[in-house]
Amino acid sequence: MHEIEEDPLFRQVKSRDTVLVGEDEICKVLSFVGGARDPLAPTLFQVANVDTGEIKFVHGEEVKEIVCTYEAEVKKRLESPTEGPITNILPTVENYEKKIGKKKLSGNEPKKRLESPTSTELQ
């Protein structure tokens, strides 16, 4: 009987997954390029090293393990009780005041007028 071959690991990798490349390089998959025989099968991956930020292409066979899928990462973030609601990180005046440690930003104060020097002061 024929044994059913399992798909290679690199065929299961999707964009935005975190993968182990080689022996000790953790990378985030940015995109992939399909092969000539099957354009939907990823053979080359564009990855970003999470430690160095280096962006490069790697062959699918160099991917040794899927460390974390994008779906699992999103699910973990949504269920995480340590992170507050998204309103705590949106760029608002209140969040900026918290970030820089000021009590309030004053936007209604009169602006100081810059007076240009007169011709007698320049001499």
Side-chain angles (χ1 to χ4, degrees):
M1 289 233 166
H2 290 284
E3 289 186 30
I4 299 174
E5 286 188 32
E6 191 175 315
D7 275 347
L9 179 67
F10 67 87
R11 291 193 66 153
Q12 300 170 14
V13 176
K14 297 178 184 156
S15 185
R16 299 182 284 187
D17 286 351
T18 306
V19 296
L20 175 67
V21 176
E23 295 298 317
D24 61 350
E25 191 175 5
I26 303 292
C27 296
K28 193 78 154 174
V29 177
L30 302 175
S31 64
F32 58 88
V33 179
R37 292 183 186 163
D38 186 1
L40 298 177
T43 55
L44 283 176
F45 295 95
Q46 184 181 30
V47 297
N49 186 311
V50 297
D51 294 325
T52 64
E54 174 189 17
I55 297 175
K56 63 181 181 178
F57 280 96
V58 297
H59 191 270
E61 291 291 330
E62 293 179 64
V63 175
K64 303 298 180 195
E65 181 182 343
I66 298 174
V67 177
C68 182
T69 63
Y70 178 70
E71 290 83 13
E73 193 174 314
V74 169
K75 185 178 177 182
K76 184 176 129 186
R77 287 185 185 179
L78 290 174
E79 293 173 351
S80 175
T82 58
E83 294 181 18
I86 193 163
T87 55
N88 290 343
I89 58 170
L90 291 175
T92 62
V93 173
E94 291 82 16
N95 291 337
Y96 181 73
E97 289 169 351
K98 289 178 196 175
K99 182 178 179 181
I100 61 173
K102 290 188 177 181
K103 292 183 180 178
K104 261 197 169 180
L105 291 177
S106 51
N108 295 332
E109 292 181 9
K111 294 181 181 176
K112 290 184 179 179
R113 249 182 122 179
L114 295 176
E115 295 183 20
S116 60
T118 60
S119 59
T120 55
E121 291 176 352
L122 291 176
Q123 295 176 358

